[in-house]
Amino acid sequence: MRNIIIYLLSVVLFCSSCSTRQTQYKIGVSQCLDDAWRQKMNQEMARELLIHPEMTLSTRVAHGSNELQCAQIDSFIAERVDLLIVSPNEAEDVKPAVTRAYRAGIPVIIADRRVTGDEWTAFIGGDNYKVGSLMAEWIKEQRSKAKRTHGRSFTVLEIMGLDGSTPATLRHKGMTDGLEGLPVEIHSVPGYWHQENAYDAVTQYISSHPLPDIVVAQNDLMAVGAAEALRDHPSSATNRPVPIMGVDGIQVGLQAIEDGVISCTATYSSRGDLVIETAARILSGKPYVRDTVLETVMVDPEAAVLLLMQYRERNHDLETLHIVQLRSDAVWHEMRAERHMLILLMTGVLVLFLMVLAFLFYKQRGLQHALKNEVVPQLENVQEAIQLSRRDEAFAERLRKVVDDHLSNPNLNVEYLGTMLQLSRTQLFRRVKTVAGKGPLDYIRERRLIRADELLHTTDMTIQQVALELCFSSAGYFAKCYKDHFGHLPSVR
Ligand code: FRU
């Protein structure tokens, strides 16, 4: 019985434990912007989350505002998120909020752009100085070609991202360091990472400057913006084409290369998957790499075509994955409903079972109680007594008959009686005692006295005659026994 209860309880507990998923972690994601590159990163994180159901993301976008980003980080701290992923808008301005989170005991992963100081848990981002170096290499290549064609000084129009962000400063530094000592004129205009800003900046620049020999934009979107500005220039039809380089290698940039709008780009991985994997490692106490710098490579038109193909395949895979996810969600919901039904059913069965058990238990207790109060023994005793008394009654009758038949026989004694009743001396004593409450001799005497009393009352026999008749040794002894039994002398009638 106990085993069955344990089994049933384990089944119910197992079923309910299925519904209690493992520890859930809430991750705050603070994105500085919401452009195509960020969306790619968000997608990568979302995809990786499929294998980390223990985490849920809550994403907030600061739309390029340091104040908003700090406020959003503070709200994540107030919500006590388990981990924070921050892509800082500008290193110095966002640092205080990051430090607050870190000091509040929240692990912080810095993604893509760095913050100053080292109060953060892990960093994952591209090699921006290397990006700048690649730009310098490309500029040098283009310059050598241009010298052959034009034989004049070389002008580079650099479209910069937000200058307080580490990628902007590092890319610029990598590029200028790479061009060190070369007769190259660099004109930098701010594009703040946005296509529209780049368009405006380039439009303004070319309205007051001769066309640059080359344009390097610190991201693909700004490169496309620059291309649009050049295309929209009044004398664009007659102008020589200006080679443009972007950075990122996102689909927009690759497409622009394939379409001949820009010349090349440098990859700048977002690796949202790695960010999530690192978060999972930190949360589960596994070892992780504190500072991950991602590789960057140059993408020429040929590589762009290849990467575009991969993109398209990946997009298709993502769509398939999305459908699979939707289906598995549906199956999961169905299973959950079924599991709830099962739990309900099992609980019902268990309750019923416990009720039956309780009923049986109390019934048994009632019985035990009755037994304790000797209801049953009494019943048994009565039955036993009935059986016994039947046997004893028969014996008592035989005893009385045998004794009564020999009252006048002077040989009637214990031995004689035993022989008559076919009982040993001990048996005779025990059984006579049981039915008559006295020993055999006393019983014989009692029967003689009762007969004597009868004779005295029903005949004219004298005390002497009666005593003799019933084998008393003398009339005096008879009188004494008679008085002991009836409480008065035989003469008193
Ligand atoms: C996206 C972006 C990318 C750039 C990176 C630098 O928001 O502007 O284009 O490479 O950020 O942090």
Side-chain angles (χ1 to χ4, degrees):
M1 191 86 85
R2 247 184 72 203
N3 288 348
I4 301 175
I5 300 178
I6 291 170
Y7 173 74
L8 280 172
L9 276 173
S10 343
V11 172
V12 171
L13 283 177
F14 170 75
C15 290
S16 48
S17 74
C18 294
S19 60
T20 23
R21 286 203 235 152
Q22 63 191 116
T23 322
Q24 284 294 304
Y25 297 111
K26 190 177 172 194
I27 317 290
V29 181
S30 170
Q31 282 284 23
C32 52
L33 291 172
D34 187 28
D35 51 32
W37 189 90
R38 304 276 154 199
Q39 282 160 16
K40 178 172 157 269
M41 179 183 176
N42 293 343
Q43 270 179 11
E44 288 160 353
M45 292 200 286
R47 205 171 57 225
E48 189 67 13
L49 274 184
L50 292 177
I51 54 166
H52 288 289
E54 76 277 16
M55 292 193 253
T56 42
L57 297 195
S58 162
T59 305
R60 282 167 206 167
V61 182
H63 300 290
S65 157
N66 298 323
E67 295 72 39
L68 184 57
Q69 187 160 35
C70 287
Q72 288 172 343
I73 292 173
D74 283 333
S75 68
F76 279 134
I77 300 173
E79 287 166 32
R80 294 293 317 156
V81 290
D82 297 294
L83 187 141
L84 201 58
I85 297 166
V86 184
S87 225
N89 189 50
E90 282 181 291
E92 203 55 51
D93 295 54
V94 179
K95 178 191 169 188
V98 168
T99 308
R100 279 195 289 277
Y102 185 76
R103 290 191 184 163
I106 300 173
V108 184
I109 299 179
I110 303 291
D112 157 44
R113 304 182 186 176
R114 288 189 186 262
V115 276
T116 43
D118 67 350
E119 287 186 277
W120 40 265
T121 314
F123 168 82
I124 296 162
D127 187 344
N128 286 297
Y129 187 84
K130 168 95 183 287
V131 169
S133 309
L134 289 177
M135 283 172 164
E137 289 308 309
W138 183 70
I139 292 166
K140 282 190 237 168
E141 256 175 48
Q142 297 303 310
R143 182 177 160 268
S144 50
K145 282 186 199 168
K147 262 191 183 160
R148 263 182 273 123
T149 329
H150 306 293
R152 60 176 178 87
S153 71
F154 202 73
T155 321
V156 177
L157 176 60
E158 182 195 30
I159 307 164
M160 288 194 59
L162 192 63
D163 59 5
S165 64
T166 47
T169 46
L170 283 171
R171 287 174 196 181
H172 177 77
K173 183 151 179 29
M175 183 185 80
T176 48
D177 284 357
L179 297 173
E180 182 89 65
L182 288 174
V184 174
E185 238 179 86
I186 300 170
H187 296 170
S188 299
V189 292
Y192 309 105
W193 304 116
H194 295 299
Q195 188 169 337
E196 306 73 37
N197 293 119
Y199 179 91
D200 293 345
V202 174
T203 306
Q204 204 187 337
Y205 177 85
I206 53 180
S207 67
S208 53
H209 295 81
L211 278 185
D213 287 298
I214 194 169
V215 174
V216 283
Q218 287 193 338
N219 73 7
D220 289 343
L221 291 175
M222 294 191 296
V224 172
E228 287 168 347
L230 290 168
R231 179 200 63 198
D232 293 348
H233 191 264
S235 55
S236 65
T238 53
N239 282 341
R240 63 189 156 80
V242 180
I244 306 171
M245 177 181 172
V247 177
D248 280 347
I250 53 170
Q251 206 169 347
V252 180
L254 299 172
Q255 192 61 57
I257 299 173
E258 196 182 54
D259 297 344
V261 174
I262 67 172
S263 318
C264 61
T265 188
T267 58
Y268 187 68
S269 308
S270 38
R271 292 301 307 269
D273 55 330
L274 188 61
V275 173
I276 292 299
E277 195 199 309
T278 307
R281 288 187 156 275
I282 293 171
L283 289 169
S284 61
K286 288 189 188 145
Y288 60 93
V289 181
R290 184 160 194 265
D291 204 326
T292 305
V293 179
L294 304 167
E295 192 44 76
T296 183
V297 291
M298 196 67 182
V299 181
D300 61 12
E302 252 177 59
V305 172
L306 207 75
L307 284 176
L308 260 181
M309 273 166 57
Q310 281 182 355
Y311 254 111
R312 286 179 193 128
E313 279 167 20
R314 199 168 56 206
N315 284 349
H316 177 73
D317 287 351
L318 280 177
E319 273 166 30
T320 316
L321 198 71
H322 186 63
I323 294 167
V324 170
Q325 195 190 346
L326 286 179
R327 285 199 190 143
S328 81
D329 276 359
V331 172
W332 166 247
H333 277 109
E334 244 173 63
M335 271 171 59
R336 255 176 64 153
E338 273 170 19
R339 207 181 47 227
H340 282 145
M341 283 296 292
L342 184 71
I343 292 172
L344 220 70
L345 203 80
M346 291 303 296
T347 315
V349 170
L350 187 70
V351 167
L352 208 77
F353 181 77
L354 288 176
M355 276 166 69
V356 170
L357 210 71
F359 172 74
L360 290 176
F361 175 72
Y362 283 110
K363 211 177 140 191
Q364 201 183 351
R365 275 233 353 215
L367 224 65
Q368 274 177 0
H369 185 70
L371 280 172
K372 222 168 135 188
N373 290 333
E374 290 174 344
V375 171
V376 172
Q378 272 181 17
L379 277 174
E380 281 172 358
N381 282 350
V382 169
Q383 281 178 349
E384 210 179 306
I386 288 169
Q387 273 186 1
L388 266 178
S389 73
R390 281 196 192 126
R391 251 176 68 207
D392 289 344
E393 248 173 49
F395 174 73
E397 213 156 308
R398 256 177 75 216
L399 176 71
R400 192 165 53 242
K401 193 165 179 333
V402 170
V403 171
D404 284 1
D405 286 352
H406 295 83
L407 289 177
S408 307
N409 184 349
N411 294 327
L412 180 64
N413 57 19
V414 175
E415 285 74 36
Y416 188 86
L417 194 58
T419 316
M420 297 292 289
L421 295 171
Q422 293 174 327
L423 293 171
S424 71
R425 195 182 166 84
T426 335
Q427 282 173 331
L428 182 74
F429 264 90
R430 190 168 45 76
R431 296 206 62 186
V432 174
K433 184 95 181 150
T434 308
V435 298
K438 48 184 65 95
L441 267 184
D442 288 342
Y443 179 73
I444 294 168
R445 187 180 313 116
E446 186 186 69
R447 294 306 301 166
R448 279 179 166 146
L449 287 167
I450 290 167
R451 171 65 64 80
D453 190 49
E454 247 174 54
L455 291 175
L456 286 173
H457 284 89
T458 55
T459 64
D460 293 332
M461 287 172 79
T462 64
I463 291 173
Q464 181 84 31
Q465 286 168 333
V466 169
L468 253 165
E469 171 65 20
L470 294 168
C471 311
F472 284 94
S473 51
S474 67
Y477 178 62
F478 167 67
K480 178 193 174 301
C481 294
Y482 188 95
K483 192 179 177 213
D484 287 348
H485 186 75
F486 293 108
H488 55 86
L489 285 168
S491 50
V492 182
R493 296 220 176 150

